[in-house]
């Protein structure tokens, strides 16, 4: 467990900065606030939003990264969602996808269900768990300067990369992207593959 | 209570998977899948994905399909309970999902702890929206997987092939 530091970063600003110069990035978001965060930046056909499947965001990113080894794949998800599928860190580490990056927006809360504390509020260190699984590149971000360092890592460092960004537990307005599953799937595939 | 004579159905099933252009094989091992897993690992065109839990495979193969690749999930019936929540994603998005499930907890099972999930497997999968093809004849396994693969990848559905314990065999703990 790492030393506790003051949390000041705002989730919307963090996600907005990460996606600002996204280029051809393929993005998978975990259910709840990370999906709203990504949608608040822009609704992009290279986004695949999970509205359910809790615990599946990182693994969805893994399957996509294996299928598209020349494209950078980023998974943005929450701490609660990551914890539910935490075994996936081991599965990803064993696969060693060089094009996969994982970013946790970690408010230490279950934000959609009443802001109950997750295990990360009690010292569970997701970056250490990723490192323990075998990720070579991991970090926990508390400050704007650290985020500036982490963003190029998410885009450019050989994966799998894991960055846990500590964010304040403040609820933001929901920004709802399309939620019909087949629609999201078809537009993502059509944009990526040229056909469905 | 004889187990059906062991035939090498794995080779034929692997051919079916190759013909269906399966590129990712996700699995939690089962004795009945030993040969298939070995063939998947040995094939350079297939990415074998070893899982910590079966539910991971549903998400991995959903991502694979997003990226243009078909996949198959190999598992034992005792792992079916683990996939139910994640099936919601495949069901809602109509992601193709081909599951090859070897059965425990039925024909000649000696381990009582295997029986509850084995007996519930078919009903639970169907309740979650999965189309179930059950096969107890070794000679029918490959063609059943072929039909299931078509229904999954072209019909856009979740399909499980349950391979009966009578075919797979039961553990002989006296040896």
């Amino acid at each position: 467990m790492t030393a506790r530091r003051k949390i000041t970063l705002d989730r919307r600003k963090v996600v907005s900065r990460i996606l600002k110069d996204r280029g051809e990035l393929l993005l998978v978001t975990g259910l709840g606030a990370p999906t709203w965060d990504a949608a608040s930046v822009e609704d992009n056909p290279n986004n695949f939003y999970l509205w359910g499947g809790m615990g599946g965001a990182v693994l969805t990113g893994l399957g996509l990264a294996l299928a598209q080894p020349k494209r950078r794949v980023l998974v943005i998800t929450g701490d609660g969602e990551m914890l539910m599928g935490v075994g996936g860190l081991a599965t990803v580490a064993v696969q060693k996808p060089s094009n996969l990056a994982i970013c946790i927006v970690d408010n230490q809360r279950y934000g959609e269900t009443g802001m109950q504390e997750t295990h990360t509020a009690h010292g569970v260190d997701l970056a250490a768990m990723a490192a323990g699984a075998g990720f070579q590149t991991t970090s926990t971000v508390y400050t704007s300067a650290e985020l500036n360092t982490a963003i190029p890592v998410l885009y450019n460092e050989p994966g799998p990369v894991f960055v846990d960004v500590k964010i304040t537990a403040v609820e933001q307005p929901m920004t709802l992207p399309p939620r019909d599953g087949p629609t999201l799937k078809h537009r993502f595939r059509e944009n990526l593959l040229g056909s469905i | 209570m004889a187990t059906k004579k062991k035939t090498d159905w794995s080779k034929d099933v692997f051919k079916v998977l190759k013909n269906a252009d399966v590129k990712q094989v996700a699995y939690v091992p089962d004795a009945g899948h030993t040969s298939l897993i070995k063939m998947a690992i040995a094939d350079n065109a297939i990415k074998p994905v070893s899982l910590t839990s079966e539910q991971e495979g549903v998400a991995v193969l959903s991502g694979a399909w997003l990226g243009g690749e078909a996949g198959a999930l190999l598992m034992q019936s005792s792992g079916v309970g683990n996939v139910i929540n994640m099936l919601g994603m495949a069901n809602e998005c109509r992601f193709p999902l081909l599951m090859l499930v070897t059965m425990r907890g039925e024909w000649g099972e000696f381990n009582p702890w295997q029986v509850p999930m084995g007996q519930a497997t078919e009903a639970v999968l169907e309740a979650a929206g999965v189309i179930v093809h059950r096969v107890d004849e070794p000679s029918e396994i490959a063609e059943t997987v072929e039909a299931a693969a078509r229904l999954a990848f072209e019909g856009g559905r979740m399909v499980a092939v349950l391979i009966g314990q009578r075919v797979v065999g039961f553990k002989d703990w006296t040896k």
Side-chain angles (χ1 to χ4, degrees), chain B residues 10-169:
Chain B
S10 297
K11 272 188 188 168
D12 292 334
V13 169
F14 190 69
K15 264 185 224 160
V16 168
L17 296 183
K18 291 291 289 180
N19 288 340
D21 209 21
V22 163
K23 292 282 170 54
Q24 296 190 29
V25 172
Y27 62 92
V28 174
D30 176 57
H33 284 314
T34 304
S35 303
L36 264 184
I37 292 169
K38 278 184 185 160
M39 285 184 270
I41 291 170
D43 190 306
N44 288 333
I46 287 182
K47 292 148 222 167
V49 184
S50 175
L51 311 166
T52 70
S53 169
E54 292 80 357
Q55 66 165 353
E56 294 179 10
V58 178
V60 167
L61 298 183
S62 297
W65 189 257
L66 282 176
E69 288 192 344
L73 174 57
L74 313 185
M75 57 193 283
Q76 185 183 101
S77 56
S78 45
V80 164
N82 293 347
V83 306
I84 301 304
N85 181 49
M86 207 59 74
L87 291 176
M89 171 162 78
N91 196 353
E92 162 54 21
C93 296
R94 283 225 276 120
F95 281 120
L97 179 63
L98 176 62
M99 307 161 71
L100 306 188
V101 182
T102 45
M103 294 301 297
R104 289 286 307 270
E106 44 171 43
W107 189 264
E109 180 63 62
F110 98 105
N111 179 351
W113 295 55
Q114 284 280 358
V115 178
M117 193 66 243
Q119 290 299 313
T121 292
E122 192 162 345
V124 164
L125 284 171
E126 287 183 342
V130 177
I131 298 166
V132 176
H133 292 344
R134 193 189 160 93
V135 57
D136 286 294
E137 280 293 333
S139 62
E140 293 174 1
I141 296 176
E143 66 185 37
T144 306
V145 174
E146 187 176 10
R150 278 180 62 113
L151 188 50
F153 303 132
E154 293 176 44
R157 289 294 186 281
M158 307 185 292
V159 189
V161 177
L162 307 188
I163 303 170
Q165 192 166 6
R166 194 175 187 185
V167 176
V168 179

Side-chain angles (χ1 to χ4, degrees), chain A residues 33-49:
Chain A
T35 281
W36 323 145
D37 293 337
S40 77
V41 176
E42 103 184 284
D43 180 30
N44 187 310
N46 280 332
N47 293 354
F48 186 77
Y49 313 104

Side-chain angles (χ1 to χ4, degrees), chain A residues 169-183:
Chain A
V170 177
E171 281 188 86
Q172 300 279 2
M174 289 166 77
T175 306
L176 305 185
R179 62 177 176 268
D180 178 62
T183 301

